[in-house]
């Protein structure tokens, strides 16, 4: 095997015709013979190029609605033959098999077909067979064969050939083969996961996950860690699909925090009013509703002004000029919203380091999604926490029942608590967080942290008392002992929402009654590790 290998004969068969004509013209100009199938051959011929049908090479017509066209020794022999193996060369001569030096294939649009909600049989028909078979064959024989599966690699191929007088280097072919194998792996993963869903298999014996590189990152959580951002093609509104209008490249931590912020604010439907969430290190430092977006932002910011510095702001409605003007008063890393006015965009333009991400909508907080977490030697897989409770789901367990206003704050606090790292305690008053205790080793500690945050808010805003006085309290899991509940009551809590289910529920309920609290159980917890 020599390092450089010439490209004399190419087989092109693509569903995505982007760039096809330009590629075909460039190859033909170098004297490369073009083989093709179906619609690809027609497109090339319509552009005035000379193309030989694969059916002519194999001696068999395309049949069975195109299911059988390239599955033939004349094709696979041309892809798999080792050019420096005398027996392979002799077999090619004996059977009239000509080598194929370049394979350009992109697969039937299975993922897109599923994404648009097509019927089962339509999805099945969009499972490519011949394409993956050829890709795998060409990739295995990358010592001599180039395989291109991405339109993005057309220019690189032509540049490589131009630099090497119509030849390609072994290192280049290796890189193409790696990309090709990853593509077929991702394709098979999409098919197998779709079928698992169709069969309602909660835990398939084998499960594959795949992603496409969106961007390489400067580093990971810390500067000594390498990192990259991959997308799964699901098109869920959020950081993966947003348009970045300005600001420097997102970092690993920016992406993680922005996702946390947007998923949280999506809990509040825009038709129910403006909402804002400010996130720091994947935890909310302030979340609020408001009569206007500007008011919602101000209330969220006031909850913890110190932590909001350098944070992520997520909005459930398009960014307007008034809100933009307030946001730029302090340093903010990222703002993500479902749109923005031209006036707001102009205000942000003066802050070149502020990233502005715009989406085409909000993610559905109840959409079932598979969530993964890597552990040593394996991976934990679960459904994303899309648990939701409504007013009718709440069970009043104390002598005192919450008022309507308190119920509204309790439900708001519950939605926020779902997005706070466990152990989580959230204090809410008048549709805004006033204290958040996150990620502590005990629920008592989280209640203390939330109380301290509320007291600092009082100091920063010059309030006569802690805003936690009379607040609603949410706990992401049950109180195992009365101490955490009583700590929240001492901070000013007037009503509590929690899952219930502790062996000591009776003790906790008795303590709530003695403290004059109203308390409701949800029957659902929201651990977030």
């Amino acid at each position: 095997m020599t390092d450089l290998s010439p490209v004399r004969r190419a087989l092109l068969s693509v569903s995505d015709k982007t760039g096809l004509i330009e590629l075909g013209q460039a190859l033909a100009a170098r004297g490369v013979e073009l083989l093709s199938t179906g619609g690809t051959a027609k497109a090339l011929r319509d552009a005035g190029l000379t193309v030989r049908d694969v059916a002519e090479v194999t001696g068999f017509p395309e049949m069975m609605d195109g299911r059988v066209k390239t599955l033939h020794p004349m094709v696979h022999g041309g892809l798999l033959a080792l050019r420096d193996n005398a027996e392979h060369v002799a077999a090619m001569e004996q059977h009239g098999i000509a080598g194929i030096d370049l394979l350009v294939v992109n697969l039937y649009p299975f993922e897109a077909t599923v994404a648009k909600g097509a019927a089962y049989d339509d999805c099945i028909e969009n499972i490519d067979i011949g394409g993956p078979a050829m890709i795998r064959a060409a990739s295995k024989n990358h010592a001599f064969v180039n395989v291109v599966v991405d339109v993005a690699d057309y220019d690189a191929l032509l540049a490589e050939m131009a630099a090497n007088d119509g030849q390609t280097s072994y290192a280049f072919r290796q890189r193409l083969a790696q990309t090709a194998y990853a593509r077929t792996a991702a394709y098979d993963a999409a098919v197998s996961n779709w079928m698992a869903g169709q069969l309602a298999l909660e835990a398939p014996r084998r499960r594959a996950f795949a992603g496409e590189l969106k961007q390489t990152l400067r580093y990971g959580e810390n500067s000594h860690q390498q990192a990259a951002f991959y997308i799964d093609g699901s098109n869920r509104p959020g950081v993966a699909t947003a348009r970045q209008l300005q600001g420097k490249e997102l970092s690993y931590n920016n992406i993680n925090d922005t996702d946390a912020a947007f998923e949280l604010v999506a809990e509040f439907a825009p038709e129910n009013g403006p909402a804002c969430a400010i996130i720091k290190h994947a935890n909310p430092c302030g979340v609020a509703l408001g009569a206007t977006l500007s008011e919602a932002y101000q209330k969220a910011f006031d909850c913890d002004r110190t932590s909001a510095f350098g944070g992520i702001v997520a909005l459930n409605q398009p960014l307007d000029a008034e809100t933009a003007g307030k946001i730029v008063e302090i340093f903010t890393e990222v703002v993500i919203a479902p749109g923005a006015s031209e006036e707001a965009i102009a205000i942000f333009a003066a802050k070149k380091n502020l990233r502005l991400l715009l989406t085409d909508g909000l993610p559905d907080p109840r959409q079932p999604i598979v969530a993964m977490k890597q552990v040593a030697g394996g991976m934990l897989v679960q459904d994303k926490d899309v648990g939701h409770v409504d007013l009718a789901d709440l069970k009043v367990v104390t002598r005192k029942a919450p008022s309507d206003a308190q119920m509204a704050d309790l439900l708001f606090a519950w939605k926020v608590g779902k997005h706070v790292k466990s152990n989580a305690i959230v204090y809410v008053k008048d549709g805004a967080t006033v204290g958040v205790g996150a990620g502590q080793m005990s629920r008592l500690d989280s209640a203390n942290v939330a109380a301290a945050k509320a007291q600092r808010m009082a100091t920063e805003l010059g309030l006569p008392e802690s805003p936690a006085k009379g607040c609603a309290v949410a706990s992401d899991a049950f109180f195992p002992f009365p101490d955490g509940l009583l700590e929240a009551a001492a901070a000013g809590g007037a009503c509590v929402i929690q899952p219930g289910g502790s062996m000591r529920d009776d003790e906790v309920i008795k303590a709530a009654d003695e403290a004059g609290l109203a308390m409701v159980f949800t029957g659902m917890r929201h651990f977030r590790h």
Side-chain angles (χ1 to χ4, degrees):
M1 182 195 75
T2 59
D3 179 68
L4 292 175
S5 185
V7 178
R8 302 189 183 96
R9 197 162 181 252
L11 195 164
L12 294 80
S13 181
V14 296
S15 58
D16 180 359
K17 306 297 192 293
T18 305
L20 171 66
I21 303 306
E22 294 80 2
L23 175 63
Q25 290 170 336
L27 293 173
R30 286 196 166 275
V32 178
E33 180 186 1
L34 303 182
L35 309 179
S36 194
T37 61
T40 305
K42 182 180 185 302
L44 292 169
R45 286 197 183 98
D46 289 347
L49 294 168
T50 300
V51 183
R52 191 178 182 195
D53 284 320
V54 166
E56 180 185 344
V57 174
T58 64
F60 280 85
E62 293 185 18
M63 61 181 72
M64 302 177 186
D65 298 318
R67 285 187 171 204
V68 179
K69 52 189 173 186
T70 59
L71 298 170
H72 194 280
M74 299 298 285
V75 172
H76 285 269
L79 292 171
L80 283 166
L82 297 173
R83 310 317 198 242
D84 60 357
N85 183 303
E87 291 184 4
H88 287 207
V89 173
M92 293 174 72
E93 292 175 351
Q94 179 183 353
H95 298 287
I97 298 174
I100 298 172
D101 310 307
L102 168 64
L103 176 70
V104 181
V105 170
N106 52 60
L107 305 175
Y108 291 174
F110 175 80
E111 297 99 328
T113 303
V114 170
K116 69 181 181 182
Y120 183 91
D121 287 346
D122 289 337
C123 293
I124 292 295
E125 283 307 309
N126 275 277
I127 299 175
D128 204 324
I129 302 301
M134 289 192 293
I135 289 171
R136 291 182 64 82
S139 299
K140 178 174 181 174
N141 203 24
H142 64 267
F144 304 98
V145 180
N146 302 269
V147 53
V148 177
V149 296
D150 287 339
V151 173
D153 287 329
Y154 289 1
D155 288 343
L157 170 70
L158 296 176
E160 175 76 5
M161 292 175 65
N164 295 290
D165 193 25
Q167 304 177 97
T168 62
S169 67
Y170 181 64
F172 179 76
R173 296 191 298 277
Q174 278 185 307
R175 290 194 297 271
L176 290 179
Q178 187 280 323
T179 298
Y181 277 126
R183 176 63 186 116
T184 56
Y187 197 78
D188 287 342
V191 174
S192 66
N193 287 329
W194 170 77
M195 291 201 74
Q198 293 296 306
L199 296 171
L201 298 178
E202 294 183 0
R205 188 190 328 143
R206 294 183 183 273
R207 193 153 202 170
F209 299 96
E212 181 180 353
L213 181 67
K214 181 177 176 69
Q215 70 183 86
T216 55
L217 303 172
R218 298 192 303 278
Y219 51 81
E221 284 185 287
N222 302 289
S223 59
H224 60 277
Q225 295 173 266
Q226 293 184 339
F229 183 27
Y230 288 83
I231 55 176
D232 62 12
S234 63
N235 293 321
R236 182 176 176 84
V239 66
T241 55
R243 294 172 288 119
Q244 183 171 347
L245 265 62
Q246 67 169 66
K248 58 186 178 181
E249 185 179 86
L250 293 168
S251 70
Y252 181 101
N253 292 328
N254 291 153
I255 292 169
N256 187 56
D257 289 351
T258 302
D259 177 68
F262 206 53
E263 289 290 325
L264 193 166
V265 85
E267 296 280 356
F268 305 100
E271 59 268 25
N272 294 331
C276 173
I278 304 176
I279 295 288
K280 197 70 169 290
H281 299 302
N283 272 308
C285 50
V287 186
L289 303 173
T292 65
L293 204 60
S294 175
E295 180 185 350
Y297 169 76
Q298 188 64 54
K299 290 168 69 176
F301 174 66
D302 285 343
C303 177
D304 189 348
R305 293 182 172 187
T306 300
S307 298
F309 184 86
I312 310 292
V313 174
L315 307 169
N316 74 337
Q317 295 182 359
L319 176 68
D320 56 43
E322 183 180 358
T323 309
K326 286 188 174 181
I327 292 173
V328 297
E329 290 177 359
I330 69 159
F331 170 60
T332 299
E333 288 276 9
V334 181
V335 175
I336 184 168
S341 70
E342 292 301 321
E343 295 81 2
I345 292 171
I347 291 170
F348 272 22
K351 299 286 185 178
K352 63 179 182 178
N353 289 329
L354 171 58
R355 292 93 155 180
L356 175 59
L357 303 182
L358 300 183
T359 69
D360 293 327
L362 293 173
D364 180 355
R366 303 192 194 187
Q367 179 187 0
I369 295 175
V370 174
M372 300 162 286
K373 182 177 182 180
Q374 187 175 8
V375 296
M379 186 175 293
L380 290 169
V381 179
Q382 65 173 352
D383 293 335
K384 179 182 173 68
D385 184 359
V386 296
H388 181 85
V389 298
D390 292 311
L391 189 61
D393 301 313
L394 303 182
K395 178 183 178 182
V396 178
V397 294
T398 48
R399 290 193 294 267
K400 181 184 290 186
S403 67
D404 290 345
Q406 286 177 327
M407 278 294 198
D409 273 351
L410 287 170
L411 286 171
F412 176 87
W414 184 249
K415 289 181 179 180
V416 175
K418 174 182 172 182
H419 295 264
V420 177
K421 296 295 179 68
S422 300
N423 287 313
I425 296 290
V426 179
Y427 297 163
V428 165
K429 193 171 184 181
D430 298 330
T433 56
V434 294
V436 178
Q440 300 302 305
M441 284 63 74
S442 79
R443 209 153 293 279
L444 176 62
D445 288 340
S446 290
N448 276 323
V449 170
K453 294 274 190 181
Q455 188 56 57
R456 189 169 70 188
M457 177 180 174
T459 301
E460 290 178 342
L461 299 182
L463 303 177
E465 62 179 2
S466 168
K469 297 297 182 183
C471 75
V473 179
S475 174
D476 64 336
F478 61 64
F479 288 98
F481 302 97
D483 56 356
L485 176 84
L486 294 176
E487 188 68 26
C495 53
V496 178
I497 185 169
Q498 60 134 318
S502 168
M503 293 176 60
R504 295 181 174 84
D505 273 349
D506 289 344
E507 292 180 38
V508 174
I509 293 170
K510 180 181 178 182
D513 281 332
E514 291 175 352
L517 300 175
M519 186 163 65
V520 297
F521 282 2
T522 65
M524 175 187 295
R525 78 176 186 197
H526 284 307
F527 271 163
R528 190 177 184 85
H529 293 105

